[in-house]
Amino acid sequence: MGYFAALSAALILFSFGIGVMVALKQSRRLSAPLIYLAAAAEQLGAGQTRPQMEKSGIEEIDLVYEELVRTADRMVGRISAERQFSADASHQLRTPLTALSMRLEEIQYLTDDPEIAEEAGSCLEQVERLAGVVEDLLAVSRSEAAGNTEAVRIGPIFEQQRDEWERSFKKAGRSLTFIDEAGVAVLVNPGSLAQIIATLIENSLKYGAGETSVRSRKMGRGVIIEVADEGQGVGKEFIDASFMKGFSTGGSTGIGLPLAKSLAEADGGRLELTQNSPPVFSLA
């Protein structure tokens, strides 16, 4: 009786050992492809547009990897389109900006009216800033790196925008307010940030109504800048098209908002229409 009990115990231990060995072998067979799959996902997250991994022979893992490859291909298409748009917009803007700058300098030099000279000088500053943004876009379109970023306080940029736009709003019988609730520095390209805000203010002046407010506030660890007015805003049918190149409901070139969005994304931010009526544009 004791013999059979010992034999049974031995068989149980042997079976258990075989089971452990099989489980370990199977786990090693599964763990290596999963580690490679995680590495491929990390490569994709780091910006490598074609993650490298050999097929494992395990159908489920290979299906996930193939989906990663398809996602990478879609990313390549989107990145290429965005860079091409940046390059196209930059080339199209460079020549008229140069001509406009020369004309403003000529007006500033020839006029005897101090008010006209001051206005021409303000316009020239805006053109020069936009020309700098164009150069940044060209640099971005030629390389994978975004524009140069630095820690910038929002308050001085708000003051700059107030100086540039307050007179135009007064002429239109409207008010323009700036509120820097965040009161902190943000890591951005200062030229790009100023151009994005200027584009949103100009858009509000042309198509909005009532008071236009520009406000910064903290959002978690980041900062969000909102530009709002009291106009009717954007129709629901046009929300998705607002940032599309060439789209316009007011006879403009339709390049302002797409260009502003491209500048925001070049610095790792995003520009969105967070409320359509009355309109609120948010830069985060």
Side-chain angles (χ1 to χ4, degrees):
M1 194 71 176
Y3 172 77
F4 285 108
L7 182 60
S8 298
L11 286 173
I12 291 172
L13 289 174
F14 178 75
S15 300
F16 179 75
I18 293 295
V20 169
M21 290 176 62
V22 171
L24 288 174
K25 183 178 180 180
Q26 189 67 17
S27 67
R28 283 195 294 268
R29 180 172 177 266
L30 289 173
S31 63
L34 287 173
I35 291 172
Y36 290 131
L37 183 63
E42 186 176 352
Q43 290 170 11
L44 183 60
Q48 183 171 327
T49 55
R50 189 73 180 184
Q52 300 297 320
M53 174 181 163
E54 294 182 1
K55 289 192 174 183
S56 65
I58 301 173
E59 183 180 2
E60 291 80 2
I61 295 176
D62 289 340
L63 286 173
V64 174
Y65 174 66
E66 288 170 4
E67 182 57 36
L68 280 177
V69 171
R70 286 192 290 271
T71 300
D73 290 339
R74 289 193 293 267
M75 287 177 57
V76 169
R78 291 189 61 182
I79 291 171
S80 297
E82 289 171 1
R83 288 180 183 165
Q84 187 61 49
F85 167 67
S86 297
D88 291 344
S90 301
H91 285 299
Q92 291 174 14
L93 287 170
R94 178 183 280 177
T95 300
L97 281 175
T98 301
L100 181 58
S101 178
M102 293 175 63
R103 180 58 178 157
L104 287 170
E105 288 177 348
E106 184 180 358
I107 292 173
Q108 192 177 30
Y109 177 75
L110 293 176
T111 186
D112 294 326
D113 189 326
E115 187 174 347
I116 293 177
E118 182 182 355
E119 188 67 25
S122 297
C123 293
L124 188 59
E125 288 179 3
Q126 293 186 44
V127 171
E128 290 175 348
R129 186 187 66 238
L130 183 55
V133 170
V134 168
E135 292 301 321
D136 289 342
L137 277 173
L138 280 173
V140 170
S141 67
R142 294 189 189 111
S143 68
E144 294 183 1
N148 295 326
T149 60
E150 57 185 84
V152 177
R153 298 196 70 85
I154 298 174
I157 292 181
F158 278 7
E159 288 300 320
Q160 175 198 38
Q161 296 297 318
R162 188 197 310 275
D163 292 341
E164 292 185 7
W165 292 102
E166 196 167 39
R167 182 181 300 178
S168 298
F169 273 80
K170 285 183 178 178
K171 287 181 179 179
R174 295 174 55 190
S175 60
L176 175 64
T177 61
F178 292 85
I179 305 172
D180 181 18
E181 290 182 359
V184 297
V186 291
L187 190 64
V188 295
N189 182 317
S192 297
L193 177 59
Q195 184 58 41
I196 294 168
I197 295 174
T199 298
L200 296 177
I201 293 174
E202 182 180 21
N203 192 69
S204 175
L205 178 61
K206 285 183 177 179
Y207 309 115
E211 179 185 28
T212 293
S213 64
V214 184
R215 181 190 304 266
S216 74
R217 58 182 176 85
K218 290 184 179 180
M219 185 182 66
R221 296 183 179 181
V223 171
I224 185 170
I225 298 175
E226 296 175 329
V227 179
D229 64 57
E230 300 171 332
Q232 293 183 352
V234 181
K236 291 183 178 180
E237 68 273 22
F238 298 128
I239 292 177
D240 293 336
S242 298
F243 295 98
M244 292 177 61
K245 179 182 177 183
F247 173 80
S248 173
T249 58
S252 65
T253 60
I255 201 172
L257 287 177
L259 178 59
K261 185 175 183 180
S262 179
L263 289 172
E265 291 174 350
D267 282 343
R270 67 182 187 276
L271 177 62
E272 300 174 323
L273 177 63
T274 50
Q275 181 175 303
N276 69 305
S277 183
V280 179
F281 287 89
S282 301
L283 173 65

